[in-house]
Amino acid sequence: LLAHIKSETSFNYQKVLLAQATTPALSRAQALNGAMVGLGTDEGQLIRIVTACDRGERLEIMEVYERAYNKLLVEHIDSEISGDFKKTMHAIFTTEESEYDLDADCQALKEAMEGWGTDEEALIKLVCSKTKQQMRDIRQRFEETEGRKLVDWVESETSGYFQDALLGLIRSPIDALCHGVRDCIKGFGTDDTGLITLITHLPE
């Protein structure tokens, strides 16, 4: 099927069909590899793909990536980026899910950001260890107790790709998707590959 699609189509139409005809894990693995090989790294693409997935999907992508490219995905990503952004992306793949205390975690998030300076290590640990369901509960409780949205506070205390990665995990899936689509079409030109990766294999 893939060979037939390649022989009968071209350009972005071909990309869409190939992505849709490929399993989600392989399609995302290929997109992640494409974001890192060659000259430069597409950090935005890395963030959009990785933060949109749940833990099970990431584990499957890691397995597929190693089979397809004979290298570990986490090590490849680590070699392409640096700083708090690198720590965050590494933690997304390696931090284990654990039971959480909703009020205690909201308080810990507040303490990591209030006062002089920001405790980036604490933010990474707290955010990267949460499931999407847990993060939904935290967003709601944080706003109830602090009178301020968690997204807004994190945005005011962080910057760059580190900020983008954290916000991708904190936002609701639909909000993250909307921001991702906006990022692909704003400014000069359109990131066609980014759009295709975002929109294909969407859950119902």
Side-chain angles (χ1 to χ4, degrees):
L1 175 59
L2 297 180
H4 194 183
I5 290 174
K6 289 179 181 179
S7 69
E8 297 294 326
T9 61
S10 60
F11 303 111
N12 287 325
Y13 180 53
Q14 181 184 93
K15 290 182 181 179
V16 172
L17 293 181
L18 289 175
Q20 197 64 53
T22 305
T23 64
L26 180 56
S27 176
R28 289 163 179 162
Q30 291 171 339
L32 287 169
N33 184 259
M36 295 185 284
V37 297
L39 183 63
T41 300
D42 187 345
E43 292 88 353
Q45 179 79 317
L46 294 180
I47 293 168
R48 288 190 295 267
I49 296 170
V50 172
T51 60
C53 297
D54 60 31
R55 190 167 303 277
E57 290 171 329
R58 292 184 197 118
L59 290 173
E60 187 176 3
I61 292 170
M62 290 168 66
E63 294 173 359
V64 170
Y65 196 93
E66 185 175 1
R67 289 199 302 269
Y69 300 105
N70 197 32
K71 63 175 66 176
L72 298 177
L73 174 58
V74 175
E75 291 183 358
H76 194 176
I77 293 176
D78 283 349
S79 70
E80 296 290 325
I81 57 180
S82 61
D84 289 325
F85 176 41
K86 175 179 177 178
K87 294 176 183 177
T88 304
M89 295 295 282
H90 188 90
I92 290 173
F93 284 101
T94 60
T95 301
E96 294 291 333
E97 291 178 3
S98 59
E99 293 185 9
Y100 79 122
D101 183 317
L102 182 56
D103 290 321
D105 280 346
C106 287
Q107 180 63 28
L109 283 164
K110 175 186 176 182
E111 292 174 356
M113 294 183 287
E114 69 178 352
W116 182 258
T118 301
D119 188 343
E120 290 85 0
E121 297 285 349
L123 270 182
I124 292 169
K125 181 179 179 181
L126 286 162
V127 172
C128 294
S129 62
K130 302 299 182 289
T131 65
K132 294 184 183 299
Q133 175 67 47
Q134 290 171 342
M135 188 53 69
R136 186 190 71 176
D137 295 341
I138 287 173
R139 286 196 309 271
Q140 180 177 340
R141 182 62 61 85
F142 191 92
E143 186 172 0
E144 290 173 355
T145 57
E146 304 304 327
R148 183 179 183 183
K149 291 183 178 181
L150 177 60
V151 165
D152 293 339
W153 199 335
V154 171
E155 192 167 17
S156 70
E157 295 291 329
T158 58
S159 62
Y161 296 123
F162 172 51
Q163 177 189 94
D164 293 340
L166 289 179
L167 294 181
L169 294 171
I170 293 171
R171 290 185 177 117
S172 69
I174 188 64
D175 283 346
L177 175 63
C178 290
H179 277 83
V181 170
R182 183 202 62 184
D183 290 343
C184 288
I185 60 178
K186 70 179 181 180
F188 181 73
T190 299
D191 182 351
D192 300 309
T193 301
L195 276 179
I196 292 167
T197 305
L198 279 170
I199 294 173
T200 54
H201 300 301
L202 284 176
E204 294 294 332

